[in-house]
């Protein structure tokens, strides 16, 4: 009888912790399908909030070298190597005057670039 009580206590100790509620999914988690990365999607959203805002550089008539509000505008920098150099390697874009890329945004930009920067 004593062995049965010990066995029951051990089983309960193993089972009870596994019955806790599932943790809610973090809505801020960086989840996306690499195949879904396109300029007209995640990338344009990042650019519109970090690079091509009314007070940022990469808009028509802005202080930056290029207008990223269109795919053709950013494609020029991708083809020249400037995008990779500044955004991915030096990581000095956006500049101090604009909000920095968070780690998820940076990863999306990197994956998009490595995928061939599709429109």
């Amino acid at each position: 009888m004593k062995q049965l009580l010990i066995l029951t206590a051990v089983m309960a100790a193993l089972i009870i912790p596994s019955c806790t509620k599932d943790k809610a999914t973090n809505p801020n988690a960086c989840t996306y399908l690499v195949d879904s990365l396109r300029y007209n999607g995640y990338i344009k959203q990042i650019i519109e909030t970090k690079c091509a805002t009314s007070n940022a550089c990469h808009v028509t008539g802005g202080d930056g070298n290029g207008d990223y509000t269109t795919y053709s505008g950013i494609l020029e920098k991708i083809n020249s190597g400037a995008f990779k150099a500044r955004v991915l390697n030096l990581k000095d874009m956006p500049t101090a005057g604009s909000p920095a890329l968070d780690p998820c945004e940076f990863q999306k930009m990197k994956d998009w670039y490595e995928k061939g920067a599709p429109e």
Side-chain angles (χ1 to χ4, degrees):
M1 183 71 165
K2 188 175 182 180
Q3 290 176 339
L4 181 59
L5 287 174
I6 293 172
L7 180 61
T8 303
V10 169
M11 293 299 288
L14 294 173
I15 294 172
I16 290 173
S18 68
C19 294
T20 60
K21 291 183 179 180
D22 290 337
K23 294 179 180 168
T25 303
N26 180 356
N28 297 321
C30 186
T31 56
Y32 58 94
L33 298 173
V34 173
D35 289 340
S36 70
L37 292 174
R38 305 247 181 292
Y39 173 82
N40 291 311
Y42 286 124
I43 303 306
K44 189 170 186 178
Q45 290 172 359
I46 295 168
I47 289 169
E48 286 175 345
T49 59
K50 303 293 174 109
C51 316
T53 62
S54 59
N55 62 343
C57 300
H58 297 290
V59 294
T60 302
D63 295 337
N65 187 3
D67 179 356
Y68 294 180
T69 60
T70 65
Y71 179 69
S72 60
I74 198 167
L75 187 60
E76 181 181 316
K77 299 302 175 189
I78 289 168
N79 291 337
S80 73
F83 177 87
K84 181 179 181 185
R86 299 295 301 273
V87 177
L88 304 179
N89 295 343
L90 292 174
K91 299 177 185 172
D92 65 350
M93 287 290 153
T95 60
S98 298
L101 296 175
D102 67 40
C104 185
E105 292 168 330
F106 177 82
Q107 190 62 49
K108 287 176 183 176
M109 297 288 261
K110 183 176 184 280
D111 289 343
W112 172 69
Y113 174 83
E114 290 175 351
K115 190 176 178 257
E119 185 174 9

